[in-house]
Amino acid sequence: MTTRTTRSSSRRGLTDASLPLELRIVGALIRPYGLPLIRIVHLATGRFHQDERGAYFTFDKNAVLLPPTLARLIEQQTTTGRSLDSVHPR
């Protein structure tokens, strides 16, 4: 996959409302942050926070500034109360 294709695919994941919200978030966390799916499934909403400088997600002990579009998706996910169970079948 070329860099251009990767960027285009990542952008689509963030902006394509026809994709399930959970998958859009997972895709946005896998590519730039290199998180394995198993770690994403176990992320807790308490690790997401916002302040006047931006929105952050804490991975291990490190708070990472999120791009605004990804922050909005995570905020939407946390306010709906849905989990990532749809991407992690039991």
Side-chain angles (χ1 to χ4, degrees):
M1 195 182 279
T2 66
T3 302
R4 181 181 224 166
T5 305
T6 300
R7 278 191 221 139
S8 175
S9 178
S10 294
R11 192 174 313 114
R12 177 179 177 245
L14 288 172
T15 60
D16 187 348
S18 71
L19 296 172
L21 182 59
E22 296 88 349
L23 295 179
R24 294 168 64 193
I25 293 169
V26 167
L29 291 172
I30 288 174
R31 283 213 170 110
Y33 302 107
L35 292 175
L37 183 58
I38 192 70
R39 286 205 48 215
I40 293 171
V41 170
H42 293 288
L43 292 175
T45 56
R47 294 175 179 257
F48 175 72
H49 65 279
Q50 299 180 60
D51 62 24
E52 64 281 348
R53 294 170 292 181
Y56 300 84
F57 209 95
T58 302
F59 303 105
D60 295 322
K61 295 181 182 182
N62 304 306
V64 176
L65 180 63
L66 299 173
T69 304
L70 177 56
R72 283 190 294 277
L73 292 177
I74 293 173
E75 183 176 26
Q76 183 181 351
Q77 178 76 16
T78 59
T79 58
T80 62
R82 294 174 8 202
S83 71
L84 294 178
D85 286 344
S86 64
V87 295
H88 183 47
R90 295 178 193 263

